[in-house]
Amino acid sequence: MPKQIVYKHKLATRWFHWLNFPLLAIMIWSGLLIYWANDIYEIRIFGITIFKFFPEVIYQWFNAAFRLADGMAWHFAFMWLFTINGGLYVLYTWVSGEWRDLLPNRRSFGEAWQVVLHDLRLRKTKPDQGKYNAAQRVAYSAIIVMGFGSIVTGLAIYKPVQLAWLMWLCGGYETARLLHFALTVGYVLFFGIHIGQVALAGWNNFRAMVAGFEVVDKPAPPPGNSPAERAAKTAAS
Amino acid sequence: MTNNDDVQKISRRKTLKAFASFFALLGGGAAGLQWLASQPLDGGIRGGIPQPLRQALDQNEKIFRPLYSPEHLVQEYPKSAAAAEPRVNGDVGLDEATFDAATWQLNVLKKNGNQVSFSLADLKKLPKVEVVHNFKCIEGWSQISWWGGARLADFLAHYGLHEEAQMNHLGLMTPDEGYYVGIDMPSALHPQTLLCYELNGQPLPPAHGYPLRLIIPVKYGVKSLKRIGTMYFDNERLPDYWTERGYDYYIGL
C-alpha cells in the first residue's frame, strides 16, 4: 500500500500543548500543597464517607505536608505562565481558524456518545470524523472552558474583597474554592482518560503531537484513471 | 515501493529531529525548575522561599494593588450569623506567663522617636465600630465572626498621629515580642480595620488576644495580630512573622 506523510498538528499547537502539560502539573502540585492546609472535601453518600480528598499516602507521595507557603509561592508565580499560555492558545485557535476542527457542532454531542460506545468496544462502527472525532471535540473544548473556570474561580478566591463581584458570581468564597478544587479533580480525570486514549491510538498518533505528521495510506486514485488503466485503454483501442 | 522507502526515510529523519528537540526542551525545562527550586532562600524579612518566587510575589503586589480601594468594603453579615465560639488557630505571641493585664498599655513609637502610651479606656473613647465579616484564614478556611473596637484610622487621626499615617507601613508587635506583622498603610487605614477589644459584644477572651487585637478584613487572618503591645511605622516593609517563613508580605484580599 503506498504511504504518504500528512501534516496534522501545527507547530504552535504542539508548543501550546507541551508547555501546558508541565505548567498545569505545577499548578496542580502547588495547589495540593495549598489544599493540604485545609483539606475538608470528601465524597459522602448517605452520611458515609466514600472517599476523602486526600488519603495520607497521596500527601506523602508528593511530600505535601506543611508546605502551604511553598505552594502559594509556586502557585502565584506559575499562574501567570499557565494563563498566558492558555490565552495565547485560544487566540491562536481563533485567528488561525483551527477552531473549526475543534468546536463541537450540532451533531457532536450525539456522536460523542457513539464514539464512547465504540471505544468501550460496545459498538463496531465509528462515526465519520475529521481531524478530531466528536468525543475529542467535546473534550478538547470542555477542557478550555474548564481552564477559563479555573482562572475565574482562582481570581475570586485570590481577591475576594477587591473582586467581590467575581466572588459573588462564583457563588461565594467557599463555593469558589470548591469549584476551583473540583475543576482540578476534573483535570486529573481528563489526564487519565487522555493518556489511556493516546496509548490505545498508538505511535503514529502520538508522534503527530511531537513531530507534527502522521504516515498514512495514500488514498486510492479514482477508478479508471491510473496510468496502468489508461495504458490498457489505449492498447485496447 | 521506492516511493514508500522515501516516505520512510523522510519520516525517520523528521521523527528523530522532532524528538531530539522535544527531549532537549524537556530536559531544559526540568533543569530550569530544578534551578528555581534550588535558589537561595531570602533571608530575614523576605525569607522562606526561593528568591525568584519572592520576586514574583512582590510583582503580584504591584499588579494587584491598583485594584485596592478603601471604598471596597468587606461584605457584612447579621450578628446572628456570627460564630458563637470563633476558631482559635494560633498562640504565637500570647505568652501568658509573662503577660500582666493590669499593667498592659498600647505603646506607640512615633516618627520623632518618642513613645506614647494608651490605655484601653483611651481606645474606648473613640466611636465603637462593629464588623461582622467572613474572617479568612490563609490556610483556606473562613468563618463569620463579629468584632468590635475603634477604627485604626480614627485612632491615628484622633491622637494626632498624622505624620505616622503618612508613612508607607505600619507595624505591630505582641508584648512578648513573639509575633509581629507589617502592613501597608492603605490597608491599615481601611474603614473596616479595627483596633478590636470585643468579640461577640464581650471583651476579647485571652486566646483571641485580650485586651486589644487587630482585625483587618482586607487581609488574611495572619495579619490580624492578637494582643497588641507596640505600634510603629516606617516607609520600608516592617518585620513580619509569616513573611519570614515564606508567605507573601502583602496578602491583600
Side-chain angles (χ1 to χ4, degrees):
Chain A
M1 184 69 99
K3 301 273 186 190
Q4 65 175 352
I5 288 175
V6 174
Y7 291 92
K8 188 174 178 187
H9 300 302
K10 296 261 169 56
L11 184 63
T13 310
R14 287 175 275 147
W15 267 98
F16 290 129
H17 174 270
W18 288 112
L19 276 174
N20 184 65
F21 175 54
L23 289 175
L24 182 56
I26 289 169
M27 291 308 282
I28 294 174
W29 163 76
S30 54
L32 181 72
L33 305 197
I34 295 169
Y35 173 74
W36 175 89
N38 184 37
D39 59 339
I40 52 170
Y41 301 134
E42 52 189 21
I43 296 174
R44 249 182 322 203
I45 298 178
F46 301 123
I48 299 160
T49 301
I50 305 293
F51 185 82
K52 185 187 180 307
F53 296 98
F54 289 94
E56 208 47 49
V57 52
I58 303 239
Y59 294 130
Q60 280 166 12
W61 183 267
F62 289 98
N63 184 26
F66 300 103
R67 293 183 68 191
L68 172 59
D70 238 352
M72 292 178 91
W74 285 85
H75 212 66
F76 299 148
F78 280 82
M79 66 179 184
W80 293 110
L81 303 180
F82 173 75
T83 303
I84 291 168
N85 188 57
L88 288 176
Y89 169 73
V90 170
L91 192 70
Y92 165 80
T93 306
W94 178 41
V95 170
S96 68
E98 299 227 347
W99 58 270
R100 288 186 188 88
D101 289 326
L102 272 163
L103 275 189
N105 51 35
R106 250 173 300 135
R107 296 191 317 276
S108 297
F109 292 96
E111 277 184 20
W113 181 240
Q114 312 292 328
V115 174
V116 170
L117 291 178
H118 170 264
D119 289 351
L120 293 172
R121 306 286 183 270
L122 295 173
R123 190 178 193 279
K124 281 225 174 74
T125 56
K126 208 170 157 178
D128 287 339
Q129 69 169 78
K131 186 167 177 177
Y132 300 109
N133 66 40
Q136 283 177 304
R137 281 174 181 261
V138 172
Y140 299 163
S141 298
I143 204 81
I144 297 304
V145 175
M146 286 167 68
F148 183 72
S150 287
I151 293 164
V152 169
T153 53
L155 257 178
I157 320 168
Y158 188 56
K159 298 290 164 193
V161 179
Q162 307 311 324
L163 300 178
W165 58 272
L166 200 61
M167 183 185 80
W168 179 84
L169 217 63
C170 294
Y173 186 68
E174 317 251 311
T175 307
R177 185 176 189 257
L178 175 62
L179 289 173
H180 198 69
F181 180 84
L183 285 166
T184 309
V185 172
Y187 297 134
V188 175
L189 296 176
F190 178 98
F191 179 72
I193 296 169
H194 191 53
I195 292 295
Q197 293 281 35
V198 168
L200 288 176
W203 168 246
N204 212 14
N205 174 69
F206 178 72
R207 176 177 55 193
M209 204 57 224
V210 175
F213 68 89
E214 281 185 335
V215 177
V216 295
D217 293 337
K218 219 176 209 163
N225 214 8
S226 73
E229 279 168 312
R230 259 184 280 138
K233 257 192 215 153
T234 320
S237 57
Chain B
M1 272 299 125
T2 47
N3 178 49
N4 274 4
D5 287 346
D6 281 350
V7 167
Q8 207 172 32
K9 218 188 281 171
I10 296 166
S11 141
R12 191 178 298 141
R13 202 184 63 229
K14 282 177 175 289
T15 303
L16 274 174
K17 210 177 117 193
F19 274 83
S21 318
F22 183 71
F23 284 114
L25 289 165
L26 204 65
L33 288 177
Q34 204 128 53
W35 172 85
L36 184 52
S38 66
Q39 281 303 288
L41 305 182
D42 281 78
I45 191 167
R46 300 160 160 269
I49 43 170
Q51 276 162 359
L53 294 180
R54 172 65 68 193
Q55 283 161 9
L57 292 180
D58 291 348
Q59 284 304 317
N60 285 350
E61 176 184 343
K62 283 192 190 135
I63 292 163
F64 284 102
R65 222 166 139 163
L67 286 180
Y68 174 85
S69 160
E71 274 144 45
H72 291 162
L73 295 183
V74 173
Q75 188 188 350
E76 299 227 24
Y77 298 82
K79 285 172 183 169
S80 58
E85 287 187 36
R87 185 165 167 174
V88 175
N89 210 49
D91 58 3
V92 185
L94 297 180
D95 183 9
E96 300 299 341
T98 60
F99 178 66
D100 180 13
T103 60
W104 174 89
Q105 51 189 6
L106 168 62
N107 300 314
V108 177
L109 302 178
K110 294 182 69 173
K111 195 183 174 189
N112 60 16
N114 291 346
Q115 180 178 311
V116 268
S117 298
F118 299 88
S119 67
L120 202 54
D122 293 330
L123 283 148
K124 288 186 176 172
K125 282 177 202 159
L126 298 163
K128 186 166 115 180
V129 177
E130 294 189 290
V131 171
V132 186
H133 81 295
N134 192 21
F135 183 99
K136 295 176 188 69
C137 178
I138 201 162
E139 291 172 1
W141 55 267
S142 63
Q143 189 178 43
I144 297 174
S145 47
W146 163 22
W147 310 94
R151 275 197 188 103
L152 180 54
D154 288 351
F155 171 77
L156 297 178
H158 183 79
Y159 289 109
L161 299 161
H162 305 295
E163 280 188 41
E164 285 73 14
Q166 299 291 317
M167 298 178 86
N168 292 338
H169 294 268
L170 177 143
L172 298 171
M173 191 177 274
T174 55
D176 64 5
E177 302 186 357
Y179 195 80
Y180 36 91
V181 295
I183 296 166
D184 58 285
M185 192 58 75
S187 302
L189 297 179
H190 188 275
Q192 289 167 307
T193 303
L194 303 184
L195 291 172
C196 160
Y197 47 78
E198 278 185 7
L199 167 61
N200 289 339
Q202 301 293 319
L204 284 177
H208 284 289
Y210 178 84
L212 186 72
R213 71 172 298 171
L214 185 76
I215 283 294
I216 179 161
V218 294
K219 304 283 186 190
Y220 283 121
V222 282
K223 295 281 190 190
S224 287
L225 177 137
K226 296 171 184 171
R227 188 171 294 156
I228 307 170
T230 318
M231 181 187 294
Y232 39 89
F233 308 88
D234 207 305
N235 280 325
E236 298 303 314
R237 281 184 175 183
L238 286 159
D240 189 277
Y241 182 88
W242 286 111
T243 304
E244 288 167 9
R245 284 152 183 81
Y247 290 84
D248 181 27
Y249 179 87
Y250 182 66
I251 53 165
L253 296 175

Coordinates of all heavy atoms in Angstrom, one line a residue, chain A residues 157-207:
Chain A
I157 N -11.0 33.6 44.6 CA -10.5 33.3 45.9 C -9.3 34.2 46.3 O -9.1 34.5 47.4 CB -10.0 31.8 46.0 CG1 -10.9 30.9 45.3 CG2 -9.9 31.4 47.4 CD1 -10.3 29.5 45.1
Y158 N -8.6 34.6 45.2 CA -7.3 35.3 45.4 C -7.6 36.8 45.9 O -6.9 37.3 46.7 CB -6.6 35.3 44.1 CG -5.2 35.9 44.1 CD1 -4.2 35.4 44.9 CD2 -4.8 36.9 43.2 CE1 -2.9 35.9 44.9 CE2 -3.6 37.4 43.1 CZ -2.6 36.9 44.0 OH -1.3 37.4 43.9
K159 N -8.7 37.4 45.3 CA -9.0 38.8 45.6 C -10.5 38.9 46.0 O -11.3 39.6 45.3 CB -8.7 39.7 44.5 CG -7.2 39.8 44.1 CD -6.4 40.4 45.2 CE -4.9 40.1 45.0 NZ -4.1 40.5 46.2
P160 N -11.0 38.2 47.0 CA -12.4 38.1 47.3 C -13.0 39.5 47.7 O -14.2 39.6 47.7 CB -12.5 37.1 48.4 CG -11.2 37.1 49.1 CD -10.2 37.4 48.0
V161 N -12.2 40.4 48.1 CA -12.7 41.7 48.5 C -12.7 42.7 47.4 O -13.7 43.3 47.0 CB -11.9 42.3 49.7 CG1 -12.5 43.6 50.1 CG2 -11.9 41.3 50.9
Q162 N -11.5 42.8 46.7 CA -11.4 43.8 45.6 C -12.2 43.3 44.4 O -12.7 44.1 43.7 CB -9.9 44.0 45.2 CG -9.0 44.4 46.4 CD -9.5 45.5 47.3 OE1 -10.2 46.4 46.8 NE2 -9.3 45.4 48.6
L163 N -12.3 42.0 44.2 CA -13.1 41.5 43.1 C -14.3 40.8 43.7 O -14.7 39.6 43.3 CB -12.3 40.5 42.3 CG -11.0 41.1 41.6 CD1 -10.3 40.0 40.9 CD2 -11.4 42.2 40.7
A164 N -15.0 41.5 44.6 CA -16.2 40.8 45.3 C -17.2 40.4 44.3 O -17.9 39.4 44.5 CB -16.7 41.8 46.3
W165 N -17.4 41.1 43.2 CA -18.4 40.8 42.2 C -18.1 39.4 41.6 O -19.0 38.6 41.3 CB -18.5 41.9 41.1 CG -17.2 42.1 40.4 CD1 -16.2 43.0 40.8 CD2 -16.8 41.5 39.2 NE1 -15.2 42.9 39.9 CE2 -15.5 42.0 38.9 CE3 -17.3 40.5 38.4 CZ2 -14.7 41.6 37.8 CZ3 -16.6 40.1 37.2 CH2 -15.3 40.7 37.0
L166 N -16.8 39.2 41.4 CA -16.4 37.9 40.8 C -16.7 36.8 41.8 O -17.1 35.7 41.4 CB -14.9 38.0 40.5 CG -14.4 37.0 39.4 CD1 -15.1 37.2 38.1 CD2 -12.9 37.1 39.3
M167 N -16.4 37.0 43.1 CA -16.6 36.0 44.1 C -18.1 35.7 44.2 O -18.5 34.6 44.3 CB -16.1 36.6 45.5 CG -16.3 35.6 46.6 SD -15.8 36.3 48.2 CE -17.2 37.2 48.6
W168 N -18.9 36.8 44.1 CA -20.4 36.6 44.1 C -20.8 35.8 42.9 O -21.7 34.9 43.0 CB -21.0 38.0 44.1 CG -22.5 37.9 44.1 CD1 -23.3 37.8 45.1 CD2 -23.4 38.0 42.9 NE1 -24.7 37.8 44.7 CE2 -24.7 37.9 43.3 CE3 -23.1 38.2 41.5 CZ2 -25.8 37.9 42.5 CZ3 -24.2 38.2 40.7 CH2 -25.5 38.1 41.1
L169 N -20.2 36.1 41.7 CA -20.6 35.3 40.5 C -20.2 33.8 40.6 O -20.9 33.0 40.1 CB -19.7 35.9 39.4 CG -20.4 36.1 38.0 CD1 -21.6 37.0 38.0 CD2 -19.3 36.6 37.0
C170 N -19.2 33.6 41.4 CA -18.8 32.2 41.6 C -19.6 31.5 42.8 O -19.2 30.4 43.2 CB -17.3 32.1 41.9 SG -16.3 32.6 40.5
G171 N -20.5 32.2 43.3 CA -21.4 31.6 44.4 C -20.8 31.8 45.8 O -21.2 31.1 46.7
G172 N -19.9 32.7 45.9 CA -19.4 33.0 47.3 C -18.0 32.4 47.4 O -17.5 31.6 46.6
Y173 N -17.3 32.8 48.5 CA -15.9 32.4 48.8 C -15.7 30.9 48.8 O -14.9 30.3 48.2 CB -15.5 33.1 50.0 CG -14.0 33.0 50.4 CD1 -13.0 33.6 49.6 CD2 -13.6 32.2 51.5 CE1 -11.7 33.4 49.9 CE2 -12.3 32.1 51.8 CZ -11.3 32.7 51.0 OH -10.0 32.6 51.4
E174 N -16.6 30.3 49.7 CA -16.4 28.8 49.9 C -16.7 28.0 48.6 O -16.0 27.1 48.3 CB -17.3 28.3 51.0 CG -17.2 29.3 52.2 CD -16.5 28.7 53.4 OE1 -16.8 27.6 53.8 OE2 -15.7 29.4 54.0
T175 N -17.8 28.5 47.9 CA -18.2 27.8 46.7 C -17.1 27.9 45.6 O -16.8 27.0 44.9 CB -19.5 28.3 46.2 OG1 -20.5 28.3 47.3 CG2 -20.1 27.5 45.0
A176 N -16.5 29.1 45.6 CA -15.5 29.4 44.6 C -14.3 28.4 44.8 O -13.7 27.9 43.9 CB -15.0 30.8 44.6
R177 N -14.0 28.2 46.1 CA -12.9 27.3 46.5 C -13.2 25.9 46.1 O -12.4 25.2 45.5 CB -12.6 27.4 48.0 CG -11.3 26.6 48.4 CD -11.0 26.8 49.9 NE -9.7 26.2 50.2 CZ -9.6 25.0 50.9 NH1 -10.7 24.3 51.2 NH2 -8.4 24.5 51.2
L178 N -14.5 25.5 46.3 CA -14.9 24.1 46.0 C -14.8 23.9 44.5 O -14.4 22.9 44.0 CB -16.3 23.9 46.5 CG -16.9 22.5 46.2 CD1 -16.1 21.4 46.7 CD2 -18.3 22.4 46.7
L179 N -15.3 24.9 43.7 CA -15.3 24.8 42.3 C -13.9 24.7 41.7 O -13.6 23.9 40.8 CB -16.0 26.0 41.6 CG -17.5 26.1 41.8 CD1 -18.1 27.4 41.3 CD2 -18.2 24.9 41.1
H180 N -13.0 25.6 42.3 CA -11.6 25.6 41.9 C -11.0 24.2 42.1 O -10.2 23.7 41.3 CB -10.9 26.6 42.7 CG -9.5 27.0 42.2 ND1 -9.4 27.8 41.0 CD2 -8.3 26.8 42.6 CE1 -8.2 28.0 40.7 NE2 -7.4 27.4 41.7
F181 N -11.4 23.6 43.2 CA -10.9 22.2 43.6 C -11.5 21.2 42.6 O -10.7 20.3 42.1 CB -11.2 21.9 45.0 CG -10.8 20.6 45.5 CD1 -9.5 20.4 45.9 CD2 -11.6 19.5 45.4 CE1 -9.0 19.1 46.3 CE2 -11.2 18.2 45.8 CZ -9.9 18.0 46.3
A182 N -12.8 21.3 42.4 CA -13.5 20.3 41.6 C -12.9 20.3 40.1 O -12.7 19.3 39.5 CB -15.0 20.5 41.6
L183 N -12.6 21.5 39.6 CA -12.1 21.6 38.3 C -10.7 20.9 38.2 O -10.4 20.2 37.2 CB -11.9 23.1 37.9 CG -13.2 23.8 37.5 CD1 -13.0 25.3 37.5 CD2 -13.7 23.3 36.2
T184 N -10.0 21.0 39.3 CA -8.6 20.4 39.3 C -8.8 18.8 39.3 O -8.0 18.1 38.6 CB -7.9 20.8 40.5 OG1 -7.9 22.2 40.6 CG2 -6.4 20.3 40.5
V185 N -9.8 18.4 40.1 CA -10.0 16.9 40.0 C -10.4 16.5 38.6 O -10.0 15.5 38.1 CB -11.2 16.5 41.0 CG1 -11.6 15.1 40.9 CG2 -10.7 16.8 42.5
G186 N -11.2 17.4 37.9 CA -11.5 17.2 36.5 C -10.3 17.0 35.6 O -10.3 16.2 34.8
Y187 N -9.3 17.9 35.8 CA -8.1 17.8 35.0 C -7.4 16.4 35.2 O -6.9 15.8 34.3 CB -7.1 18.9 35.4 CG -7.5 20.3 35.1 CD1 -7.4 21.3 36.1 CD2 -8.1 20.6 33.9 CE1 -7.8 22.5 35.8 CE2 -8.6 21.9 33.7 CZ -8.4 22.9 34.6 OH -8.8 24.1 34.4
V188 N -7.4 16.0 36.5 CA -6.7 14.7 36.7 C -7.5 13.6 36.1 O -6.9 12.7 35.5 CB -6.6 14.5 38.3 CG1 -6.0 13.1 38.6 CG2 -5.8 15.6 38.9
L189 N -8.8 13.6 36.1 CA -9.6 12.6 35.4 C -9.4 12.7 33.9 O -9.2 11.7 33.2 CB -11.1 12.7 35.7 CG -11.5 12.5 37.2 CD1 -13.0 12.8 37.4 CD2 -11.1 11.1 37.6
F190 N -9.4 13.9 33.4 CA -9.1 14.1 31.9 C -7.8 13.5 31.6 O -7.7 12.8 30.6 CB -9.1 15.6 31.6 CG -8.8 16.0 30.2 CD1 -9.9 16.2 29.3 CD2 -7.5 16.0 29.7 CE1 -9.6 16.6 28.0 CE2 -7.2 16.3 28.4 CZ -8.3 16.6 27.5
F191 N -6.8 13.8 32.4 CA -5.4 13.3 32.1 C -5.4 11.8 32.0 O -4.8 11.2 31.1 CB -4.5 13.8 33.2 CG -3.1 13.4 33.1 CD1 -2.3 13.9 32.1 CD2 -2.5 12.4 33.9 CE1 -1.0 13.5 32.0 CE2 -1.2 12.0 33.8 CZ -0.4 12.5 32.8
G192 N -6.1 11.1 33.0 CA -6.1 9.7 33.0 C -6.7 9.1 31.7 O -6.1 8.2 31.1
I193 N -7.9 9.6 31.3 CA -8.5 9.2 30.1 C -7.7 9.5 28.8 O -7.5 8.7 27.9 CB -9.9 9.8 29.9 CG1 -10.8 9.3 31.1 CG2 -10.6 9.4 28.6 CD1 -12.1 10.1 31.2
H194 N -7.1 10.7 28.8 CA -6.3 11.2 27.7 C -5.1 10.2 27.5 O -4.8 9.8 26.4 CB -5.8 12.6 28.0 CG -5.2 13.3 26.9 ND1 -5.8 13.5 25.7 CD2 -4.0 14.0 26.8 CE1 -5.0 14.2 24.9 NE2 -3.9 14.5 25.5
I195 N -4.4 9.9 28.6 CA -3.3 9.0 28.5 C -3.7 7.7 28.0 O -3.0 7.1 27.1 CB -2.6 8.9 29.9 CG1 -2.0 10.2 30.3 CG2 -1.5 7.8 29.9 CD1 -0.8 10.7 29.4
G196 N -4.8 7.2 28.5 CA -5.3 5.9 28.0 C -5.6 5.9 26.5 O -5.2 5.0 25.8
Q197 N -6.3 6.9 26.1 CA -6.7 7.0 24.7 C -5.5 7.2 23.8 O -5.4 6.6 22.7 CB -7.6 8.2 24.5 CG -9.0 8.1 25.1 CD -9.9 7.2 24.3 OE1 -9.5 6.2 23.7 NE2 -11.2 7.5 24.3
V198 N -4.5 7.9 24.2 CA -3.3 8.1 23.4 C -2.5 6.8 23.3 O -2.0 6.4 22.2 CB -2.3 9.2 24.1 CG1 -1.0 9.2 23.4 CG2 -3.0 10.6 23.9
A199 N -2.5 6.0 24.4 CA -1.8 4.7 24.4 C -2.5 3.8 23.4 O -1.9 3.1 22.6 CB -1.8 4.1 25.8
L200 N -3.9 3.8 23.4 CA -4.6 3.0 22.5 C -4.5 3.4 21.1 O -4.4 2.6 20.1 CB -6.1 3.0 22.9 CG -6.5 2.3 24.2 CD1 -8.0 2.4 24.5 CD2 -6.2 0.8 24.1
A201 N -4.4 4.7 20.8 CA -4.3 5.2 19.5 C -3.0 4.9 18.8 O -2.9 4.8 17.6 CB -4.6 6.8 19.5
G202 N -2.0 4.7 19.6 CA -0.7 4.2 19.1 C 0.3 5.3 18.7 O 0.1 6.5 18.8
W203 N 1.4 4.8 18.2 CA 2.6 5.6 17.9 C 2.4 6.7 16.9 O 2.8 7.8 17.1 CB 3.7 4.6 17.5 CG 4.9 5.3 16.9 CD1 5.3 5.3 15.6 CD2 5.8 6.2 17.6 NE1 6.5 6.1 15.5 CE2 6.8 6.6 16.7 CE3 5.9 6.6 18.9 CZ2 7.8 7.5 17.1 CZ3 6.9 7.5 19.3 CH2 7.9 7.9 18.4
N204 N 1.7 6.4 15.8 CA 1.5 7.4 14.7 C 0.9 8.6 15.3 O 1.3 9.7 15.0 CB 0.7 6.7 13.6 CG 1.1 7.2 12.3 OD1 2.1 7.9 12.1 ND2 0.2 6.9 11.3
N205 N -0.2 8.4 16.1 CA -1.0 9.5 16.6 C -0.1 10.3 17.6 O -0.1 11.5 17.6 CB -2.2 8.9 17.3 CG -3.0 10.0 18.1 OD1 -3.6 10.8 17.5 ND2 -3.0 9.9 19.4
F206 N 0.6 9.6 18.5 CA 1.5 10.3 19.5 C 2.6 11.1 18.8 O 2.8 12.2 19.1 CB 2.1 9.3 20.4 CG 3.0 9.9 21.5 CD1 2.4 10.7 22.5 CD2 4.4 9.8 21.4 CE1 3.3 11.3 23.4 CE2 5.2 10.4 22.3 CZ 4.6 11.2 23.3
R207 N 3.2 10.5 17.8 CA 4.3 11.2 17.1 C 3.8 12.5 16.5 O 4.5 13.5 16.5 CB 4.8 10.3 16.0 CG 5.9 11.0 15.1 CD 6.5 10.1 14.1 NE 5.5 9.5 13.2 CZ 5.7 8.5 12.4 NH1 6.9 8.0 12.3 NH2 4.8 8.1 11.6

